[in-house]
Amino acid sequence: MISFKPYYDVHTGRRARFSKSYTVEEARKLVKNFEGKINLFEDYYFGWYLKPLKQNLREGTLLITTAILLSFCEVLEQFQKGENSNFKTNEFVKTYLKRIYRKNIKKIDEKIIEKIVDKIYNTLRNGLHHDLTTRGVNIIISDGVKIVYEKNDVDIVKLWFNPLHFLDIVTKEFLKYTKKLRDKSYGTLRSNFEKIFDKFFTFYLSKL
């Protein structure tokens, strides 16, 4: 849960900002209307997560970048569905991954997407959390490679996964999502967003 109460930087002792661009005081004012909530959401996750991940992406940060992005996928799916992912992490992360890969990798069979997503989840999300190994997935970084797989008759046996490409498509889909939130024709999406926003960000607002 993210609080609107003032908090402090552990190194300097100064009051920390709520997000990259907004102070806690500014955030408390913005949260009173829907457009303000979108601005806070966008600035919080783009400024504190996506932009720093891109700035620090290099060979030594590939695994942690991937782990953070997969957790972020769970967050974004909660906002899109308008419901909490308690005890449904597997479902939420996989649903989000399937959606972004369908949109961003052309001419690929739906069954292959499902197998790729299973491999990514079981090794890079679930596997990393349990034993810090990447079983059956090679992590690569290359501007020219998106995702490459080797399969037999029943499964994906090897997957070459590019965190740079993954970060790019998650960022692109995130910005598309915030753009849709500003469009009143996406009523259900906006309603779902507000349900989860109030759980994530305004839990303490009534106590201020």
Side-chain angles (χ1 to χ4, degrees):
M1 202 67 66
I2 301 163
S3 174
F4 279 82
K5 289 185 176 180
Y7 55 101
Y8 297 85
D9 183 272
V10 295
H11 297 291
T12 65
R14 294 195 300 266
R15 290 179 70 159
R17 302 179 70 80
F18 174 81
S19 64
K20 188 73 173 175
S21 303
Y22 300 111
T23 65
V24 172
E25 289 77 12
E26 290 169 332
R28 290 160 75 180
K29 294 176 182 176
L30 283 169
V31 78
K32 294 178 181 178
N33 63 75
F34 190 80
E35 182 67 26
K37 290 180 180 182
I38 300 171
N39 291 339
L40 288 174
F41 170 80
E42 186 175 57
D43 192 63
Y44 186 89
Y45 286 113
F46 187 80
W48 286 155
Y49 287 78
L50 296 173
K51 189 174 181 179
L53 285 175
K54 185 66 175 284
Q55 291 171 335
N56 291 286
L57 188 60
R58 55 187 182 277
E59 185 177 357
T61 65
L62 298 183
L63 286 178
I64 188 64
T65 297
T66 302
I68 291 170
L69 284 172
L70 287 168
S71 294
F72 186 49
C73 289
E74 181 180 359
V75 170
L76 293 178
E77 189 62 20
Q78 290 180 75
F79 278 94
Q80 296 216 22
K81 284 182 180 294
E83 60 182 90
N84 198 288
S85 64
N86 285 348
F87 309 110
K88 295 184 287 186
T89 292
N90 182 312
E91 174 193 332
F92 276 57
V93 175
K94 287 184 176 181
T95 298
Y96 193 83
L97 289 174
K98 288 174 186 176
R99 184 185 303 116
I100 64 173
Y101 277 122
R102 284 190 200 104
K103 291 180 180 178
N104 291 278
I105 300 181
K106 306 300 182 183
K107 298 180 180 178
I108 185 168
D109 185 84
E110 180 66 25
K111 291 181 179 179
I112 296 297
I113 289 179
E114 291 184 4
K115 291 183 182 298
I116 287 173
V117 166
D118 284 343
K119 182 71 74 175
I120 290 172
Y121 183 85
N122 292 331
T123 59
L124 298 180
R125 163 70 182 180
N126 207 35
L128 279 176
H129 280 277
H130 284 88
D131 55 23
L132 297 180
T133 61
T134 55
R135 299 154 295 182
V137 176
N138 283 344
I139 300 289
I140 60 169
I141 181 166
S142 168
D143 289 339
V145 176
K146 295 181 179 179
I147 194 164
V148 179
Y149 59 90
E150 176 185 328
K151 68 182 183 73
N152 57 27
D153 291 338
V154 295
D155 201 4
I156 300 289
V157 294
K158 203 72 174 178
L159 183 68
W160 287 263
F161 178 86
N162 184 356
L164 176 59
H165 173 250
F166 186 47
L167 174 58
D168 284 344
I169 62 174
V170 170
T171 301
K172 182 171 75 172
E173 292 301 322
F174 173 76
L175 295 175
K176 283 182 179 179
Y177 173 62
T178 56
K179 183 178 180 180
K180 286 181 179 178
L181 288 175
R182 293 185 171 94
D183 184 342
K184 292 183 179 180
S185 66
Y186 290 93
T188 301
L189 204 67
R190 286 161 61 93
S191 175
N192 289 347
F193 166 81
E194 195 155 35
K195 288 177 189 175
I196 296 299
F197 184 96
D198 291 342
K199 292 180 180 179
F200 266 64
F201 290 96
T202 58
F203 181 75
Y204 296 105
L205 204 55
S206 62
K207 301 179 182 180
L208 293 174

